[in-house]
Each structure stands twice: as structure tokens, then as C-alpha cells.
Amino acid sequence: MATTREAVPASWVHLCRADEIGEAQSRGFDADAEGQDSLFVVRWQGRLHGWRNACPHIGGAPMAWRRDAYLNAEGTRIVCHAHGAEFMPDTGLCVQGPCRGERLSRIELVVDTDGELFVKS
Amino acid sequence: MKIVGLESLIFGVDDVRGAARFLVDYGLTPVDVSDRRGRFEAIDGTAVVIARQDDPALPPGPVPGCRLRKTVMGVADDATLGAIAAELRRDREVRRLPDGSIESIDDSGFVIGFQLAARRPFVLAGEISNAPGGVVFRPINSLGVPPPGSVIRPRSLSHVVYFVPDVVKAEAFYVNRLGFRCTDRFTGTGPFLQPGGSLDHHTHFLIGAPPHMHGVEHFTFHFGGPSEMITNGYRFVEKGYQAFWGPGRHILGSNWFWYFNSPFGCHIEMDADMDQHDASWQPREATVSADNSQTFLLKMRKKWYPGPGIPENGDYA
Ligand code: FES
Ligand SMILES: [Fe+2]
């Protein structure tokens, strides 16, 4: 869940405007500039959640099937499109598939008073 | 039994439109696509078929999370179709469907179908290497690298890889009941299987896995050669699709590979130049590891020469 701060340290990485990610939408970010999205953000029941783009089934496996496509069609689950593991968007808990019971690793997000979304780094 | 290979794979999906676009971008040709279903063909007519996951015409998957609902194999003649029906009726239901095909279930819970093979014969040269001393060369002035904008299409449905909870039982079904041969094996993991009417190294690969992984690892189509396949893969990446492993070349089967994530709850692969074997081939056995499954793995280097804005050591810096 994103928390709000007045100002953010210069080292934090700017992602986008927080309101660019609508309800039940997801977006990936190449925050480490490595040519591969290292994290993604989903909005679920109004709140933003950041997750490392690394499936617990196979350490480090990227999860989207197309750029920014991390969710099922209804937007109710995060899906790893390698072998179909399904995760709760708010807790990161795997509820179906090969890594059931394991969790995604959370990325701490910050929204500043101007509504810009950052990730700590 | 003259089973010639995979005819089609049928998936239930939650987003028909998205899955359809994915398959077209992969290179398949859409046939009869609607909001509810669609068929996507390779050059020879072998296909992936998708339908909405709640479509009542879809058979059930082996487990609830598995999107693959049916694997259809092609057979050479009516005699084979009859022989398979008779063999499977000994211990399970075999349904004859209105289209003349038969449907049953394997020993791992995957619904399987058999029909007269409907592949369209075609002639289209595969990739040829100009090797000094060689016998076959590309026509003079023809290009080895597919030019930008050239059309690249998958040629034929190649193989499917199942995660199965009891790999010994799963293999026995295909070998003893349907006449498949093991061509090579990963120790403790599972066999590469070739049906009686095919020379391909494998149309099926079985991986023993815990019950919660029961389902599909990947499926793939053959492309015309490594250059075509890798070019197609880069185009796919540029369209925003997520690569998983590759491009590289496997050791067992020698097939070039590139794996991608997919909306089918499994990987999709592009493959090319798989070995062919006949009954005289002696299966090899290897332990499974990345080293034993890739003979090499290629990486695109964006910056490869020293120049303005590029560190002295290029990409290595
Ligand atoms: S790597 Fe994510 S489900 Fe297998
Ligand atoms: Fe494969």
C-alpha cells in the first residue's frame, strides 16, 4: 500500500503519476534500467500495491504475458503467465498453482503530495 | 499405430480477444474467430483452438487451474483410429464425436482426441547453410537473414509438454497403449516420446512433478530454421511479449528454442530444426540441468563496437 510523504529523497525512483494506474489495472516498471521490468504495481480496491516481478515458483521468473499484463481478465488475481500461478493482489499470497502458499515480495511505494508515485531504492 | 503427431491443442481462456491477438502476433493464421472462440493455424493446418473458459463444449482439464482442455492427435488411417478405439475401450470410455474423431482420456487426466490427420502437404525450403564443401546451398543472391517485413509463419504444431503426477504411469500409457517410443530421457524427470507415425524427436515430453503442478509446461510450433525462428522471436519481444528462456539450442532433440510467457497458463515456445529418429535409434539418458538442456544460449548485444557514447569495453563495462 502506498503511503504519502511531503518530499522524497532524490535517490528514490519516480515511476509515474499514481492516478495513471486505474482500478484492477497493472503496470510494470524497469526501475533498475536493465531492459526488463523489475517490479509492477497493481491497484486493487482503490489501493496501490508494488511487487517484485519475480515469481516464487522459479526464482526471478518474469510474470507478465505482455508488457503490463500481470492480472487475469477480471482483474481479481495477479497471474504468473509462466505456469499460471495466481496471487492475491493485496497480500501477494499464491492461492492457486505451483507455488501455492508462497508470496510475492513487496516493494514499498510512496505517493508524494503531488500524486507522483515513487519506489524506494 | 500410425499416430502422426499433434493436430490441435484446445485451450479455455478468460480473455479470447487477448489470446487471439497473442497467437496472431506469434505468427499463426486466424480462422473463424469470434468473441467466444477461434482457431489459429500453422501453414499445414495444425492449430491452437481457443474458447471461453466457461464454454460448455469444452471438456474439463486434468485439474482446475489447467487451461489445456484437449490434445488432439492425427492418425494416418481409419485402421489406426479403430485400433486406438478398441485398445482404449478395454478400460475406459471412448466417445465417437459427430466429426468422426474419437475422444478419451489418458492416464494423467488429459483429455485426448484422435482424428484422421488433416495436415495440408506443402513444399517450402527450410533454412539452408552455405558451408564450404557442402552439397546443398542457398540460391545465389538469396539472403540468409529474413529481411525486415518478411512474413514468418509457424509450419506445424510440434510438441506439448505435460507435468504429470506419476510419470511412470503416464509414460506407460503412451508407450504400451498407443505405441509411442521413448527417444531420450532425463533421469528422474521423464521421457521424450515419439509416436509411431512420426520421425520427430518428440511430440510429447513428460515431466514428473508434484500434484499441484499438474498441467502443461509448454507447447510449440516448428519454424523454418533458426534464423527465421529467432527473427520471429525478436519481433514478438518488440510487440511487448515476455521472453522466458532463449534463444538457444537444446541438446536432446537439437531443436532451437525460445520460450515465452502466455495467456494459457503455460509457456509457448518457438522451435526449429529438431532431430529425426527411426526405430534404430538408441535412447540416451541425461540428468536434467540447464547445462544439459541448452547447448548454447544467445544474447542480443545492442552495443558491440566502441564508439560515441559507448564505453571502451562495450557492453562488458
Ligand atoms: S514461474 Fe511462475 S508459475 Fe512457474
Ligand atoms: Fe519444447
PDB file of all heavy atoms in Angstrom, chain A residues 55 57-58 61 80 82-85 98, ligand 1:
ATOM      1  N   CYS A  55       8.531 -14.465  -9.865  1.00  0.00           N
ATOM      2  CA  CYS A  55       7.625 -15.493  -9.355  1.00  0.00           C
ATOM      3  C   CYS A  55       8.358 -16.391  -8.351  1.00  0.00           C
ATOM      4  O   CYS A  55       9.475 -16.832  -8.630  1.00  0.00           O
ATOM      5  CB  CYS A  55       7.108 -16.335 -10.515  1.00  0.00           C
ATOM      6  SG  CYS A  55       5.968 -17.625  -9.999  1.00  0.00           S
ATOM      7  N   HIS A  57       7.806 -19.373  -7.793  1.00  0.00           N
ATOM      8  CA  HIS A  57       7.919 -20.750  -8.297  1.00  0.00           C
ATOM      9  C   HIS A  57       9.316 -21.026  -8.843  1.00  0.00           C
ATOM     10  O   HIS A  57       9.942 -22.015  -8.501  1.00  0.00           O
ATOM     11  CB  HIS A  57       6.853 -21.001  -9.377  1.00  0.00           C
ATOM     12  CG  HIS A  57       6.957 -22.354 -10.006  1.00  0.00           C
ATOM     13  ND1 HIS A  57       6.699 -22.580 -11.330  1.00  0.00           N
ATOM     14  CD2 HIS A  57       7.309 -23.552  -9.488  1.00  0.00           C
ATOM     15  CE1 HIS A  57       6.887 -23.865 -11.583  1.00  0.00           C
ATOM     16  NE2 HIS A  57       7.244 -24.469 -10.496  1.00  0.00           N
ATOM     17  N   ILE A  58       9.775 -20.151  -9.733  1.00  0.00           N
ATOM     18  CA  ILE A  58      11.142 -20.268 -10.248  1.00  0.00           C
ATOM     19  C   ILE A  58      11.778 -18.920  -9.983  1.00  0.00           C
ATOM     20  O   ILE A  58      11.377 -17.928 -10.585  1.00  0.00           O
ATOM     21  CB  ILE A  58      11.153 -20.587 -11.757  1.00  0.00           C
ATOM     22  CG1 ILE A  58      10.548 -21.960 -12.012  1.00  0.00           C
ATOM     23  CG2 ILE A  58      12.574 -20.502 -12.314  1.00  0.00           C
ATOM     24  CD1 ILE A  58      10.533 -22.385 -13.468  1.00  0.00           C
ATOM     25  N   ALA A  61      11.587 -15.467 -12.062  1.00  0.00           N
ATOM     26  CA  ALA A  61      10.886 -15.579 -13.342  1.00  0.00           C
ATOM     27  C   ALA A  61       9.954 -14.381 -13.553  1.00  0.00           C
ATOM     28  O   ALA A  61       9.157 -14.049 -12.680  1.00  0.00           O
ATOM     29  CB  ALA A  61      10.080 -16.870 -13.389  1.00  0.00           C
ATOM     30  N   CYS A  80       1.015 -15.385 -12.686  1.00  0.00           N
ATOM     31  CA  CYS A  80       2.302 -15.610 -13.329  1.00  0.00           C
ATOM     32  C   CYS A  80       2.022 -16.372 -14.615  1.00  0.00           C
ATOM     33  O   CYS A  80       1.530 -17.503 -14.584  1.00  0.00           O
ATOM     34  CB  CYS A  80       3.263 -16.401 -12.446  1.00  0.00           C
ATOM     35  SG  CYS A  80       4.782 -16.788 -13.351  1.00  0.00           S
ATOM     36  N   ALA A  82       3.900 -17.779 -16.609  1.00  0.00           N
ATOM     37  CA  ALA A  82       4.820 -18.863 -16.960  1.00  0.00           C
ATOM     38  C   ALA A  82       4.122 -20.206 -16.792  1.00  0.00           C
ATOM     39  O   ALA A  82       4.079 -21.011 -17.712  1.00  0.00           O
ATOM     40  CB  ALA A  82       6.072 -18.790 -16.105  1.00  0.00           C
ATOM     41  N   HIS A  83       3.563 -20.455 -15.588  1.00  0.00           N
ATOM     42  CA  HIS A  83       2.826 -21.708 -15.353  1.00  0.00           C
ATOM     43  C   HIS A  83       1.484 -21.470 -14.697  1.00  0.00           C
ATOM     44  O   HIS A  83       0.897 -22.381 -14.119  1.00  0.00           O
ATOM     45  CB  HIS A  83       3.648 -22.663 -14.480  1.00  0.00           C
ATOM     46  CG  HIS A  83       5.011 -22.965 -15.013  1.00  0.00           C
ATOM     47  ND1 HIS A  83       6.155 -22.525 -14.404  1.00  0.00           N
ATOM     48  CD2 HIS A  83       5.399 -23.646 -16.115  1.00  0.00           C
ATOM     49  CE1 HIS A  83       7.211 -22.923 -15.094  1.00  0.00           C
ATOM     50  NE2 HIS A  83       6.786 -23.600 -16.150  1.00  0.00           N
ATOM     51  N   GLY A  84       1.005 -20.229 -14.702  1.00  0.00           N
ATOM     52  CA  GLY A  84      -0.364 -19.971 -14.271  1.00  0.00           C
ATOM     53  C   GLY A  84      -0.592 -19.799 -12.775  1.00  0.00           C
ATOM     54  O   GLY A  84      -1.740 -19.827 -12.337  1.00  0.00           O
ATOM     55  N   ALA A  85       0.454 -19.595 -11.967  1.00  0.00           N
ATOM     56  CA  ALA A  85       0.226 -19.368 -10.536  1.00  0.00           C
ATOM     57  C   ALA A  85      -0.607 -18.097 -10.342  1.00  0.00           C
ATOM     58  O   ALA A  85      -0.407 -17.110 -11.047  1.00  0.00           O
ATOM     59  CB  ALA A  85       1.560 -19.235  -9.805  1.00  0.00           C
ATOM     60  N   PRO A  98       1.538 -23.720  -8.905  1.00  0.00           N
ATOM     61  CA  PRO A  98       2.698 -24.486  -8.446  1.00  0.00           C
ATOM     62  C   PRO A  98       3.382 -23.945  -7.192  1.00  0.00           C
ATOM     63  O   PRO A  98       4.166 -24.659  -6.589  1.00  0.00           O
ATOM     64  CB  PRO A  98       3.656 -24.425  -9.639  1.00  0.00           C
ATOM     65  CG  PRO A  98       3.188 -23.312 -10.484  1.00  0.00           C
ATOM     66  CD  PRO A  98       1.716 -23.175 -10.259  1.00  0.00           C
TER      67      PRO A  98
HETATM   68  S1  FES C   1       7.467 -19.447 -12.803  1.00  0.00           S
HETATM   69 FE1  FES C   1       5.616 -18.554 -12.121  1.00  0.00          FE
HETATM   70  S2  FES C   1       4.205 -20.184 -12.141  1.00  0.00           S
HETATM   71 FE2  FES C   1       6.067 -21.123 -12.730  1.00  0.00          FE
END
